[in-house]
Amino acid sequence: MLLRRNIRAEALADTNNPVQTSFQFLERSSILFVMLESALTHLECPECGRKFNADRVQNFCEDCRSPLLARYDLTRVAASVTRTQIAARPRGLWRWAELLPVRKEKFRLTLGEGDTPLLPAPRPGKTLKIKHLFIKDESPNPTGSFKARGLCVAVARALELGRREFVIPTAGNAGGALAFYAARGGAEAHVFMPKDAPRTNQEEVRAAGADLRLVDGLISDAARLAAEAAKGKRWFDVSTFKEPYRAEGKKTMGLELAESFGWELPDVVIYPTGGGTGLVGMWKAFAELEALGWIGPKRPRMVAVQADGCAPVVRAFQNGAERIETWQNAHTLAAGLRVPNAFADRLILRALRESGGTALAVSDAEILEAQREMAQAEGLLACPEGAATLAGLRHLVKNGWVRPDETVVLFNTGTGLKYI
Ligand SMILES: *Cc1c(COP(=O)(O)O)cnc(C)c1O
Ligand SMILES: [Zn+2]
């Protein structure tokens, strides 16, 4: 297995032997062949402003202990492509290639991620008296969660920069996504996961042939053990925000949202927040779209929902703090929200505040109730994290924070099937 993988990885890196991507296939077979060029220019630390070379493997700014953000030549993008042209491309997140970091087409791995449905949710909307309620349903993504978007792009870019072996601490879904994108790219993956993470997450990692290490503890303990195990090895660490490109993959949710709403963003976006990759990624996407002239200045109010057994972002938001403090004894059935600390805490809190948004916690009982309602009233088996957004909306409607005439989007971040 190891040998075969390495041979595939070499082939991918050193020859023009292209890895099969459906996008590529579709492009070759279309009459209008266009080379899509990434407009990536550099990476930047949002705290000290230092610039980093984007064509080298980078993790984060050591001085600030801050994530790095990818920067693009947006003037060039605006001059070279229109939003209508992007809309006409084959489905999937690589149709936004100019705004993503992978330069060569042959590294744009795909398992069919992105372009998920934006479903109207009229029945819960009626109960809550919200006229325009939608669910951005991420469950059709490969590996059943939106983690596919982030790991797809992060693995693709790391392969392009010559890395062949990956390590990740995970609450569950990110490990599954890494394992499958590594398999797709002919690379190796080492996955450190709490031993009480959902069984499906454990089994999917094994099924993809990755190295699964079960940890007695939480994702934070998994991170410590992963770092120890990685010492002295060429394992590339794709922990949340400890490399710049998972956020770029998740940014595509924001791009899709803008497009789906006819380039006018909704009023409120409710997002189940763990490490905050999607929240920060979407916030970044909106800024890029405005710089391109593709949307105006209107932004949604961004809402972070967490579980009351692990709500460090909510606590920091309510205290007016700039950083979050590690949550002790984190527990919730929403495994993806069992994240006691967030490396991107400053960016998460800034996005919430700049948007005029808020943060709130819901109980596991409320999550289960909302999950039942989504299933029975809308035919959608949401993951507990996704159901938490509906539970959160109930509070926000009750206390008048969301008004009946507003357009609201809930993020269902994965399929409930993974938790059965
Ligand atoms: C990881 C995860 C989350 C949290 O996502 P972040 O972008 O890291 O905040 C939410 N829901 C599910 C299903 C997840 O797997
Ligand atoms: Zn810095």
Side-chain angles (χ1 to χ4, degrees):
M1 179 75 104
L2 238 159
L3 189 64
R4 181 180 62 78
R5 286 260 176 98
N6 282 340
I7 290 167
R8 272 187 63 192
E10 297 302 318
L12 184 61
D14 303 330
T15 74
N16 285 325
N17 225 351
V19 72
Q20 181 68 33
T21 70
S22 63
F23 189 60
Q24 204 168 34
F25 174 74
L26 284 163
E27 274 212 325
R28 291 260 158 77
S29 59
S30 73
I31 308 161
L32 284 165
F33 179 84
V34 266
M35 259 298 275
L36 307 183
E37 245 181 83
S38 167
L40 180 69
T41 53
H42 62 279
L43 301 169
E44 191 176 277
C45 170
E47 304 306 323
C48 67
R50 208 175 119 203
K51 292 182 177 176
F52 293 73
N53 184 344
D55 288 302
R56 280 215 208 120
V57 176
Q58 305 280 5
N59 286 101
F60 51 88
C61 178
E62 304 266 359
D63 294 343
C64 308
R65 288 198 58 79
S66 163
L68 295 176
L69 299 178
R71 297 298 182 205
Y72 299 83
D73 182 348
L74 297 174
T75 312
R76 201 184 95 199
V77 176
S80 65
V81 67
T82 66
R83 30 185 220 190
T84 320
Q85 285 170 324
I86 291 180
R89 290 176 182 167
R91 302 288 87 190
L93 61 68
W94 294 114
R95 68 194 175 90
W96 304 96
E98 287 89 346
L99 298 173
L100 291 172
V102 179
R103 301 201 189 277
K104 293 206 182 97
E105 198 186 292
K106 67 174 178 176
F107 289 104
R108 291 180 192 142
L109 296 176
T110 186
L111 291 166
E113 52 296 312
D115 279 321
T116 54
L118 180 71
L119 303 171
R123 287 187 203 89
K126 199 166 173 199
T127 315
L128 290 165
K129 302 198 169 51
I130 298 289
K131 253 186 271 154
H132 308 288
L133 179 62
F134 296 86
I135 301 171
K136 177 70 170 164
D137 183 18
E138 290 293 301
S139 61
N141 273 306
T143 70
S145 93
F146 73 153
K147 289 294 193 299
R149 294 183 189 256
L151 271 312
C152 171
V153 173
V155 169
R157 180 62 176 153
L159 287 172
E160 185 170 51
L161 296 177
R163 304 309 288 261
R164 298 284 168 261
E165 207 163 350
F166 297 89
V167 61
I168 196 168
T170 172
N173 282 326
L178 172 65
F180 281 96
Y181 284 97
R184 186 72 170 173
E188 295 295 312
H190 306 274
V191 177
F192 290 72
M193 189 187 289
K195 69 175 197 288
D196 59 353
R199 264 312 274 264
T200 313
N201 290 132
Q202 304 180 22
E203 292 308 325
E204 67 180 336
V205 169
R206 288 200 184 97
D211 167 29
L212 175 67
R213 315 272 182 99
L214 293 177
V215 173
D216 193 2
L218 297 170
I219 184 173
S220 36
D221 304 294
R224 196 170 27 79
L225 292 170
E228 269 167 36
K231 238 180 230 140
K233 302 194 186 81
R234 261 178 69 82
W235 293 4
F236 185 55
D237 184 357
V238 287
S239 302
T240 303
F241 275 117
K242 294 207 173 144
E243 60 74 48
Y245 300 123
R246 280 174 63 185
E248 293 303 292
K250 279 195 178 172
K251 171 179 94 175
T252 58
M253 297 189 294
L255 303 174
E256 289 173 22
L257 216 53
E259 186 185 54
S260 307
F261 281 105
W263 308 102
E264 167 139 6
L265 293 168
D267 299 302
V268 177
V269 167
I270 308 187
Y271 184 83
T273 307
T277 330
L279 195 121
V280 170
M282 283 194 278
W283 193 242
K284 181 172 185 287
F286 301 152
E288 289 172 359
L289 288 173
E290 188 180 358
L292 285 166
W294 293 357
I295 61 168
K298 184 192 160 181
R299 295 284 186 283
R301 307 203 300 285
M302 305 296 285
V303 179
V305 173
Q306 297 197 298
D308 64 7
C310 181
V313 171
V314 179
R315 186 171 62 188
F317 182 84
Q318 287 172 350
N319 291 342
E322 199 197 330
R323 308 295 309 249
I324 72 173
E325 275 170 45
T326 304
W327 190 274
Q328 301 302 326
N329 305 316
H331 62 89
T332 166
L333 60 87
L337 304 185
R338 206 166 52 139
V339 181
N341 210 329
F343 192 65
D345 53 353
R346 287 169 282 199
L347 299 177
I348 297 170
L349 291 162
R350 260 176 236 156
L352 296 177
R353 291 185 179 126
E354 282 172 20
S355 75
T358 189
L360 78 165
V362 297
S363 70
D364 280 7
E366 289 175 303
I367 289 175
L368 288 173
E369 171 54 32
Q371 194 179 34
R372 245 189 320 272
E373 181 176 352
M374 276 192 180
Q376 294 175 10
E378 288 302 343
L380 188 75
L381 183 54
C383 60
E385 297 86 344
T389 62
L390 178 58
L393 177 61
R394 283 189 185 149
H395 287 281
L396 296 172
V397 168
K398 204 184 234 172
N399 65 24
W401 197 88
V402 170
R403 295 182 304 271
D405 58 329
E406 293 191 299
T407 301
V408 179
V409 177
L410 308 177
F411 266 85
N412 175 41
T413 44
T415 171
L417 285 172
K418 290 186 91 169
Y419 301 74
I420 283 176

